Amino acid sequence: MDDLKFNKVAAGFLLAALLAMAGYKLSEVLVPHQKLAQNAYPIEVQVASTTTAAPAAAKGPEPILALLASADVEAGIKTAKKCTACHVFDKGGKNKVGPGLWNIVNADKAAVDGFSYSAALTEMEGGWDYQALNAFLYKPKAYVAGTKMNFAGLKKPEDRANLIAYLRSQADAPIALPSDADIAAETSAQAQ
Ligand code: HEC
């Protein structure tokens, strides 16, 4: 295509675009947008003044202690398959991508020998009691912002309870299951 022809075609496109814009503007002048003063079809909405809004549903993790009392260790072993790419649960198990998890329930956080933890987990206080494990396994990155554990979490409370029951069993002297008083305390804390 020679230059002149190209210019003609280009001019054609430009003109078309200009016309389209002009047409649009013109239509706005002829039929201006209007805000209706009120709904064309008023709808009666009953506003109940006495009821207060329901509290927003509590975001997980759901309480765990009551579920732990009836947890199924065998089912926990199955759920633990989601962890075995990175963790060993047996006594003397080596650190892999994640630390060995023998005797992890009630252990200090970030305390397995020879494992290089994230700064985030290292700086975290406290031990892995049932509730800490529940919160961590629900959503690791929410509980420990900056953790190296690349795992989305276990959304079902039963899965977490079964798994924690299995973790508990992987110890020389498993710690006590939650008492009725522990369960009651957790339930009332959750209700507030
Ligand atoms: C993709 C690898 C990966 C998977 C899958 C994984 N983890 Fe981890 N886990 C890690 C890493 C890495 C760390 C160290 C985290 C850090 O340093 O922030 C960790 C840390 C932990 C800790 C803290 C240990 C300590 O000594 O403080 C626990 C408990 C844990 N994982 C449990 C689990 C369980 C239970 C599962 C399965 C539901 C699981 N993890 C799945 C990689 C993984």
Side-chain angles (χ1 to χ4, degrees):
M1 183 185 309
D2 60 39
D3 270 1
L4 193 64
K5 218 169 179 183
F6 175 80
N7 280 344
K8 276 188 188 160
V9 173
F13 274 117
L14 251 157
L15 192 66
L18 275 174
L19 280 175
M21 268 163 68
Y24 178 72
K25 281 278 168 218
L26 191 66
S27 73
E28 271 202 337
V29 174
L30 293 178
V31 191
H33 290 299
Q34 265 180 359
K35 280 225 167 86
L36 291 177
Q38 61 177 76
N39 275 351
Y41 301 95
I43 298 165
E44 292 280 327
V45 181
Q46 297 251 326
V47 181
S49 55
T50 47
T51 52
T52 47
K59 292 217 169 88
E62 302 80 352
I64 202 73
L65 298 187
L67 287 174
L68 263 178
S70 57
D72 177 351
V73 173
E74 291 300 314
I77 295 175
K78 289 210 186 91
T79 308
K81 297 218 158 65
K82 298 190 177 185
C83 326
T84 49
C86 303
H87 291 289
V88 178
F89 298 94
D90 298 335
K91 190 171 189 172
K94 296 236 165 14
N95 297 331
K96 300 209 291 182
V97 178
L101 291 181
W102 173 260
N103 205 17
I104 194 69
V105 179
N106 260 11
D108 283 342
K109 291 189 178 118
V112 173
D113 277 347
F115 186 80
S116 166
Y117 290 95
S118 64
L121 190 55
T122 309
E123 282 159 18
M124 218 170 169
E125 300 286 323
W128 286 119
D129 60 19
Y130 292 133
Q131 277 144 331
L133 283 168
N134 182 41
F136 184 56
L137 295 177
Y138 173 73
K139 213 175 195 188
K141 299 213 159 152
Y143 186 71
V144 186
T147 181
K148 286 206 291 188
M149 173 152 139
N150 229 339
F151 181 73
L154 297 169
K155 289 294 155 287
K156 286 197 200 142
E158 293 77 15
D159 286 351
R160 295 195 304 276
N162 295 338
L163 181 59
I164 294 168
Y166 168 59
L167 292 178
R168 170 184 176 269
S169 74
Q170 294 300 99
D172 284 326
I175 70 159
L177 281 169
S179 68
D180 288 348
D182 295 337
I183 295 171
E186 188 188 48
T187 312
S188 72
Q190 196 80 15
Q192 275 159 18

